[in-house]
Amino acid sequence: MQTVALSACTTLVSIEPRLPMETRNRVMKATLGFFALPTEPSNIVESLITNLIILLGAILLTSGEDGRSRAEQLLHILRQLDPYVSASAEHQRRRGCVAVHEVLVKFRNLCSGGFGASGSYPTLSLKHIDQGGPRGSSSLPSAFVLPNRDSLSLGERIMAYLPRCADTDDEVRKVAIQIIALFFNISLSLPKQKTSANDIDLESSYGALSSLEDIVSIIRRASVDQIEVFHRVVSSVCILLSKDELVVLLHSCTLAACDKVKQSADGSIQAIIVFIIRRGKDLREADVLRTTQSLLSSAIALTDKHSRQEVLNAISCLAENTNHIVVFDEVLFVAGRDICTKDITRIRGGWAIQDVFYVFSQHKVLATLFLEYILSILHKEPVATNDSEKGEINSESSADDCILQATMFALNAFLRGGGKVGKQAVEQSYPSVLSALILKLGGLHGLAELGRNELLRSLLIAFQSFCDCVGDVEMGKILARDGERTEKEKWIDLVQEVACSSSVKRPNEFSV
């Protein structure tokens, strides 16, 4: 009965007068749940799935009046299928991917056959619907009636299907690769907006598409190395994406990095790293910022240590291959927000931002850059003071406190978790690190009186970590003995004693 009902729905959306768009979408919403059916009884369920895919094709073919409106309907259908494409159940992922492929084939046939100016179809039979519909007649040039490439939202769509190319299910992998090849096959036949037309190297793009289609041909007839195939797909995609599409792909990477299939998630993260290494120069500062935000969201959402580490590697890769200051700024901002709004000691799976600090401090290239960045913040960060005679602290000062706490937390993590690379960077920057800590120590003597003990405590912890890192036991003892004193005179004596202790021990490196 349900199979008959689906066939009836297909007829309803295919005949004249056409159903309103709202009604067609209600039909689609009411029937998509069939993709979640169990696999048994297979003969009945598979018949339902087949009829449902035919219905989706019919909805696409009878929607809209021109290429652009049909492209919008295509994206609407594909986004409705996303939950099944990325489902935890293999059979749902298979059904979702097959449906996406079949709908895309219909859309490609429309693009090849041309969109009629009125969007009309002279026949209503299912036979013609399955074949993609007859070519519409129009006196308008094809560029006018075709959708443009940008209407396909390639960056978002490719990111939605790339995890499936590394799926544990063989059929899902094969169909996903065909989907990506089909998307780019369609996109290269569509006009590009003039503002970004020069962004695409057609010769390289056609070469990459040819390589991608070769992969499709190979996987159809032979068993090949899964990892090698995935790498070739990623390499082709890296060339085929325009700058804007690449940016959107990176912005929408969080769901892929947190895919329900661990193998797919890890593959997606490796793909992101490849994109950043090869195309990082194409990212503007705003793009770097949003990509950092997406990757941080991924790291925070992941509790699996290995997967989180892979995302952290992607963040360090982004910092190394783009504007590292933008990446550092965003990481520190998120750290300050977390420190001031959450109990970071109770975060499930550990505090991801601390792991980011560790990765920076252990990176051969970024360690020195990150330490210099931290020191620049400590040198220039104004110490927040009371806003009035009542000693009230304004919101701007509170925000400054959060950043300053985050900076000292970052320094402490650097000193504790940097290993050999971090220690070497600290030794090379010994005078700068010590002077920044002493200057900040000298400027914080009044914080306890203002009820801001956390800020003071954070500095003392970072200072003690510095003493441990450089092996200065005597200076550490001074801090341990007198670090909690808050009287102004005693505090000044402490700062002088710490400075003198260092100048005596390392006269050639530091002087006061």
Side-chain angles (χ1 to χ4, degrees), residues 162 165 180 212 215 227-241 267-268 270-275 278:
L162 197 58
C165 296
I180 290 179
L212 197 53
I215 297 170
I227 297 175
E228 176 62 25
V229 167
F230 184 71
H231 286 166
R232 288 182 62 182
V233 169
V234 171
S235 295
S236 295
V237 169
C238 191
I239 296 170
L240 285 161
L241 290 168
S268 301
Q270 291 305 311
I272 292 165
I273 291 175
V274 171
F275 296 148
R278 297 186 184 179

Side-chain angles (χ1 to χ4, degrees), residues 144-159:
F144 181 84
V145 295
L146 283 172
N148 58 48
R149 173 175 172 140
D150 304 84
S151 65
L152 294 181
S153 297
L154 276 176
E156 171 205 310
R157 289 295 90 203
I158 297 303
M159 195 73 260

